[in-house]
Amino acid sequence: MTTPKRVRVHHLREAKERGERLTMLTAYDAVTAAIFDAAGIDMLLVGDSIGNTMLGHTTTLPVTVDDMVRAGRAVAGATTRAFVVVDLPFGSYEAGPEQALATAVRVMKETGADAVKFEGGQRVAAQVRALTDAGIPVVGHLGYTPQSENLLGGPRVQGRGDEAVERLCDDAVAITEAGVVALVLEMVPAPVAARVTEIVGVPTIGIGAGAGCDGQVLVWVDMAGMGDWSPRFAKRFGEVGAALRAAAEGYAREVREGTFPDAAHSFEA
Ligand code: KIV
């Protein structure tokens, strides 16, 4: 994306119109948010994947609004250019537009984020409309939606077969008409994601959805190679976990040997 001082909602649509691909990474704290912002990442997602990446849960389901507010404030506070999106966690918006609006207003007031994201298609179109009418930009999320993992039977590709493709397209159109400013497509066959990208006027951001989307998002720990394993669709652009472990081992060795701290890292009388 050509470089605005600060990425705002109209830049997202302009990027799609110009055919410029958008970049998005998750971030959950001020340290990584500042690094990704300085790297020129266009959008930072304070994802509810914080549950399984940072908080020690096995799914996103236990994540609370308080968890998201704390992380959202840290990320938005450390960011000067990127467009910051905060996930509404499971149970904080599904009951209806009133619940979604109350949660989103709290998130926007207490974090300084630019937008919220939540999962679902036609079933949450009224929520998208209510927030949009209240001036809150919403990013949609279709395909594999981790908050519904129990119903979907775990992380599985969605949108295979004519009926599923039609449902996905209908969902995309419904939430686009309701006002979403961008749309995450997770674990969707590449040709299906490309078709959705063609039929909606807002940028699609793919994760495991092929190269035909208007942008890409990855969970940063997968992108950076923090753990031993990353999902098939998540290329490891570094081996940061191994580098961090080597640094910790070097520190421990020098402390045990008595070579750290040396004179250069001590104060004179
Ligand atoms: O929570 C998250 O990290 C997400 C991405 C997988 C898109 O929603």
Side-chain angles (χ1 to χ4, degrees), residues 26 45 47-49 87 117 141 184 186 207 217 219:
T26 64
L45 171 62
D48 61 355
S49 53
D87 262 343
K117 172 169 91 55
H141 185 156
V184 169
E186 180 165 357
I207 173 164
V217 55
V219 171

Side-chain angles (χ1 to χ4, degrees), residues 109-195:
K109 269 185 190 290
E110 296 184 25
T111 66
D114 299 293
V116 298
K117 172 169 91 55
F118 50 88
E119 299 176 2
Q122 298 174 60
R123 71 181 169 92
V124 296
Q127 283 89 322
V128 174
R129 169 59 57 207
L131 271 58
T132 305
D133 285 349
I136 301 172
V138 178
V139 174
H141 185 156
L142 294 174
Y144 176 63
T145 45
Q147 292 175 11
S148 304
E149 71 153 80
N150 291 311
L151 194 64
L152 298 174
R156 302 173 67 192
V157 174
Q158 303 294 310
R160 281 196 170 129
D162 290 349
E163 210 179 296
V165 172
E166 202 178 317
R167 202 174 333 119
L168 185 65
C169 290
D170 288 350
D171 279 337
V173 169
I175 57 173
T176 304
E177 284 176 353
V180 294
V181 299
L183 177 53
V184 169
L185 293 174
E186 180 165 357
M187 293 183 76
V188 172
V192 177
R195 179 162 155 207

